[in-house]
Each structure stands twice: as structure tokens, then as C-alpha cells.
């Protein structure tokens, strides 16, 4: 009985958060809407930490909002997540240059 319970717990842990499911910058942008919230948070945290030196406004919240908006607006076709991150950086630069 203990072996069965241990096996079920290990299997459920592996299924719920597999390491190979982590979003990477070279993944297709079309994966974003279907990704788990944990994967999205992990990805935006990494982007926020990497880009925070460019501007304090480039944090995980900014990337979460921007990626949600840009990937859900239209057909991303063959775009990758790094294309979407560059788009977010471009939008941020444009907003910083032209504050309204």
C-alpha cells in the first residue's frame, strides 16, 4: 500500500510540473496561450530578471501583461517567444520615448 501511494505521489508530481514543459525563448509563441500559469510566471520572471538592468519598468509583471496581450491579439504563425519579447522591448522603448 505504501509503495502504491508513493508511486501515485511521484507520478502526480511529475505530471503536474514536468521540467521539460518549461517555456523557452525559442518556443513557438502559439504555445503561450496553452501554457500553464506556473510556466508563464517562470518565463516572465526569467525575462524580468534578465531585462531589469535595461529599465526598472521591465519586470515580470510587464512581460506577463505584454506577452498576454501580444500573443492573444492575432495569429502568431511561426513567431517564437523571443520575437514576442523583442516586440515587448520595442513597445517599452517607444512608450519611454513618447510618454503621453
Amino acid at each position: 500500500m505504501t509503495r502504491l501511494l508513493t508511486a501515485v505521489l511521484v507520478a502526480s508530481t511529475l505530471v503536474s510540473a514536468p521540467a521539460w514543459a518549461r517555456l523557452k525563448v525559442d518556443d513557438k509563441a502559439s504555445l503561450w496561450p496553452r501554457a500553464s500559469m506556473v510556466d508563464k510566471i517562470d518565463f516572465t520572471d526569467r525575462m524580468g530578471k534578465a531585462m531589469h538592468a535595461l529599465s526598472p519598468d521591465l519586470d515580470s509583471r510587464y512581460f506577463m501583461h505584454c506577452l498576454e496581450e501580444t500573443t492573444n491579439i492575432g495569429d502568431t504563425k511561426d513567431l517564437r517567444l523571443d520575437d514576442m519579447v523583442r516586440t515587448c522591448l520595442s513597445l517599452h522603448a517607444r512608450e519611454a520615448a513618447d510618454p503621453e
Side-chain angles (χ1 to χ4, degrees):
M1 184 65 168
T2 306
R3 284 185 186 178
L4 177 62
L5 183 57
T6 303
V8 169
L9 288 174
V10 169
S12 66
T13 302
L14 291 175
V15 169
S16 66
W20 59 87
R22 188 176 191 186
L23 289 171
K24 300 175 289 303
V25 292
D26 59 345
D27 284 342
K28 297 270 189 190
S30 59
L31 291 176
W32 182 266
R34 296 186 312 258
S36 71
M37 187 53 70
V38 171
D39 288 339
K40 289 179 179 182
I41 291 170
D42 175 63
F43 184 82
T44 57
D45 281 348
R46 287 183 282 136
M47 292 303 104
K49 288 176 185 174
M51 303 298 175
H52 189 73
L54 295 175
S55 170
D57 297 334
L58 294 172
D59 58 6
S60 60
R61 285 180 285 137
Y62 173 78
F63 282 105
M64 179 65 79
H65 175 73
C66 184
L67 290 170
E68 286 289 323
E69 292 294 320
T70 55
T71 57
N72 290 326
I73 287 175
D75 188 10
T76 56
K77 297 195 191 266
D78 293 327
L79 295 176
R80 297 181 323 202
L81 284 174
D82 66 333
D83 297 322
M84 306 313 300
V85 169
R86 280 190 293 246
T87 300
C88 292
L89 292 173
S90 176
L91 290 170
H92 181 268
R94 188 177 307 154
E95 291 169 2
D98 187 28
E100 293 181 30

